[in-house]
Amino acid sequence: QQGTTVTITRRRLLTSFAAVSGAVLLSSCASMLGPREVDLPLSKLQASLDRRFPMDNRMLELFDVRLSRPQLAVHEGDRVSLSVDATVAQSFLRQPLAGSLAFSGRLYIDQARSGVFMAEPRIERFEIRGIDPSVQRQLARAANGLMDKVVLDIPVYTFRSEDLRYAGVQYVPTRIVTTPNGLRVSLEPE
C-alpha cells in the first residue's frame, strides 16, 4: 500500500509540474513573440473613412454643412490630409452652395477608443463656389472650429479586436508612422 501511495504522489507531482511548466511556457510565448508591426494600406484606411460619410454639421448656427466623398492622403512626418466635398445650405440661399475643403493633421493612437485619430487639424483649402471672397474668409474661420469637432470625433482607422490579437497574445498599438502606401502601426504585447 505504501508503494501505491508513492506512485499516486509521484503522478500528482508530475501532473502538477507539467501544468505549471505549460503555464510558464504559454506566458513566456507573449514575451517571445515581442513587438509586431502591422501595415494598414491606404485603401483600407479610405474604406474606413467612407463608412463615416456623409456627415452633416451646423456652422455658426446659420449654415448647414454637409461633408461628403472623403479622400485621404498620407504625407511624411506622420501627417495625413483629408479632402472632402462640402455643400453649404441656409434658408436665405436659393440653392445650396457647393465647394470643397481640405485639411491636414498629425496622427495619434487613442488606446481608449482603439483607433487612429488626427490631431492639430489645419485647413489647407476652403472653396465655396458662388460666394463673395470676404464671406468665404469668414466661413473659412468658422470651418476651423468645425474641423476641431469633426477631427476629434472621426477615427482615421478603428482597430478590430482581431487586429490586436496574434497567436493567442493580446497587443496594444503604441506607435504609428506614415509610409508611401499607408500607415505602419507598432504593436506591443499587453
Side-chain angles (χ1 to χ4, degrees):
Q1 186 169 20
Q2 190 175 16
T4 307
T5 305
V6 170
T7 304
I8 292 174
T9 305
R10 267 193 204 149
R11 263 193 211 143
R12 283 186 184 158
L13 184 61
L14 285 173
T15 304
S16 297
F17 179 73
V20 169
S21 296
V24 167
L25 183 62
L26 285 175
S27 68
S28 68
C29 281
S31 61
M32 285 182 1
L33 289 175
R36 301 182 59 226
E37 287 188 338
V38 175
D39 287 328
L40 300 173
L42 190 55
S43 60
K44 193 171 189 175
L45 301 169
Q46 183 66 52
S48 175
L49 280 172
D50 287 343
R51 286 189 294 274
R52 292 173 170 77
F53 283 82
M55 178 180 295
D56 295 311
N57 290 284
R58 190 122 172 105
M59 200 165 63
L60 299 176
E61 297 301 319
L62 287 172
F63 300 99
D64 293 313
V65 179
R66 172 166 270 215
L67 304 176
S68 60
R69 297 185 40 195
Q71 292 298 307
L72 185 69
V74 292
H75 305 284
E76 290 182 11
D78 302 331
R79 291 190 71 81
V80 295
S81 62
L82 186 63
S83 298
V84 294
D85 288 348
T87 305
V88 179
Q90 210 288 330
S91 61
F92 64 82
L93 297 172
R94 289 186 188 123
Q95 289 202 326
L97 301 173
S100 62
L101 172 68
F103 58 96
S104 66
R106 179 186 55 81
L107 293 172
Y108 73 98
I109 295 172
D110 185 330
Q111 290 183 353
R113 294 191 283 177
S114 196
V116 177
F117 289 81
M118 191 187 308
E120 302 165 14
R122 185 170 63 208
I123 290 193
E124 305 290 341
R125 177 177 37 85
F126 183 80
E127 297 171 356
I128 300 294
R129 294 179 290 282
I131 62 172
D132 184 75
S134 64
V135 174
Q136 190 156 289
R137 282 191 296 276
Q138 290 173 350
L139 286 175
R141 281 194 293 275
N144 273 317
L146 177 62
M147 285 304 96
D148 285 339
K149 178 185 176 189
V150 168
V151 168
L152 290 176
D153 292 340
I154 298 179
V156 173
Y157 183 78
T158 302
F159 295 101
R160 298 171 305 177
S161 58
E162 57 265 23
D163 293 337
L164 300 175
R165 193 157 194 74
Y166 179 74
V169 177
Q170 186 67 37
Y171 285 83
V172 292
T174 57
R175 187 168 178 261
I176 192 161
V177 294
T178 56
T179 67
N181 302 321
L183 304 176
R184 180 165 292 136
V185 181
S186 298
L187 304 172
E188 299 277 339
E190 219 173 34

